Amino acid sequence: MSNNELDEMIKALSHPIRRDILNWLKQPDLYFADQEHPLSFGVCAGKIDQKTGLSQSTVSNHLAILQRAGFISSKKVGQWNFFSRNEAAVQAFLEQMQQQL
Amino acid sequence: MSNNELDEMIKALSHPIRRDILNWLKQPDLYFADQEHPLSFGVCAGKIDQKTGLSQSTVSNHLAILQRAGFISSKKVGQWNFFSRNEAAVQAFLEQMQQQL
């Protein structure tokens, strides 16, 4: 992991809403149990918007930052975008922080 | 630890030089063995400036950000400022990240 990649990951986590989203996506069956589509697709952007109570464009921006940092991936199914957490990236980040600090 | 405190800690770590400084201060006897003052005072700002190769004002700004976030403390002895790492704050931060993510 380069310093630039790590910087981008750290910046992605510097907003509490983005940490919340990442945490919710850890247990989608706990936080998004009412989603109609299968949770195996990931969590629909609209459900994440709802849960944050923020506008679609604001949440879309937060999701883009998390995705650019590698913490989440998206999958388009029909007209919907589904997001899932990249557990390996989260764990690699935590290990890197343990080592660097 | 409040979300605001955590945000400030994360932002403090979003620059590689600040992560380096924190890491050097973990083992001052390894990185600053040539300091004339006792390392028990901490590491003199001037030695940190030298090691980064950056200007005094730039490094002073990085140190202030680390100090505001609680990661380091300073101690004034005579005309010198000495910095030390707050190990408890670093460990509390790492635990909080493990929990929140």
Side-chain angles (χ1 to χ4, degrees):
Chain A
M1 197 181 294
S2 73
N3 258 333
N4 278 351
E5 286 169 310
L6 191 57
D7 289 356
E8 190 148 1
M9 290 177 117
I10 295 177
K11 280 176 191 148
L13 298 177
S14 70
H15 194 298
I17 280 287
R18 294 197 289 268
R19 296 196 298 275
D20 283 343
I21 293 173
L22 209 51
N23 188 263
W24 299 332
L25 291 178
K26 192 177 187 174
Q27 293 176 280
D29 48 343
L30 188 61
Y31 294 104
F32 302 99
D34 62 339
Q35 174 171 293
E36 286 172 29
H37 297 89
L39 284 171
S40 58
F41 289 174
V43 176
C44 186
K47 300 301 292 178
I48 303 175
D49 298 347
Q50 263 177 32
K51 189 151 179 62
T52 60
L54 300 171
S55 74
Q56 188 266 326
S57 67
T58 301
V59 177
S60 169
N61 185 44
H62 286 312
L63 290 169
I65 292 170
L66 283 170
Q67 188 161 10
R68 240 185 350 254
F71 285 128
I72 61 173
S73 313
S74 67
K75 178 178 183 165
K76 204 169 166 69
V77 182
Q79 63 188 105
W80 294 282
N81 267 314
F82 295 92
F83 291 88
S84 357
R85 169 175 162 123
N86 292 336
E87 195 54 41
V90 175
Q91 292 312 317
F93 168 79
L94 289 171
E95 278 165 32
Q96 190 72 21
M97 291 298 277
Q98 290 273 5
Q99 279 171 30
Q100 275 216 8
L101 296 190
Chain B
M1 196 181 293
S2 72
N3 257 333
N4 279 351
E5 286 169 311
L6 191 57
D7 289 357
E8 190 148 1
M9 291 176 117
I10 295 177
K11 280 175 192 149
L13 298 177
S14 70
H15 194 296
I17 280 287
R18 294 198 288 269
R19 297 195 298 274
D20 283 344
I21 293 173
L22 209 51
N23 188 264
W24 298 333
L25 291 179
K26 191 177 188 175
Q27 293 176 278
D29 48 341
L30 187 62
Y31 294 104
F32 303 99
D34 61 340
Q35 175 171 293
E36 286 172 27
H37 297 89
L39 285 171
S40 59
F41 289 175
V43 177
C44 185
K47 300 302 291 179
I48 303 175
D49 298 347
Q50 264 178 31
K51 187 148 180 66
T52 60
L54 301 171
S55 74
Q56 188 265 328
S57 67
T58 301
V59 176
S60 171
N61 184 46
H62 286 313
L63 290 170
I65 292 170
L66 285 170
Q67 187 160 10
R68 241 184 351 254
F71 284 129
I72 61 174
S73 312
S74 67
K75 178 179 186 164
K76 203 167 164 72
V77 181
Q79 61 189 107
W80 294 283
N81 268 314
F82 294 92
F83 291 88
S84 356
R85 169 174 161 123
N86 290 337
E87 194 54 41
V90 176
Q91 292 311 317
F93 168 78
L94 289 170
E95 278 164 32
Q96 190 71 22
M97 291 298 278
Q98 289 273 5
Q99 279 170 30
Q100 276 215 9
L101 295 189

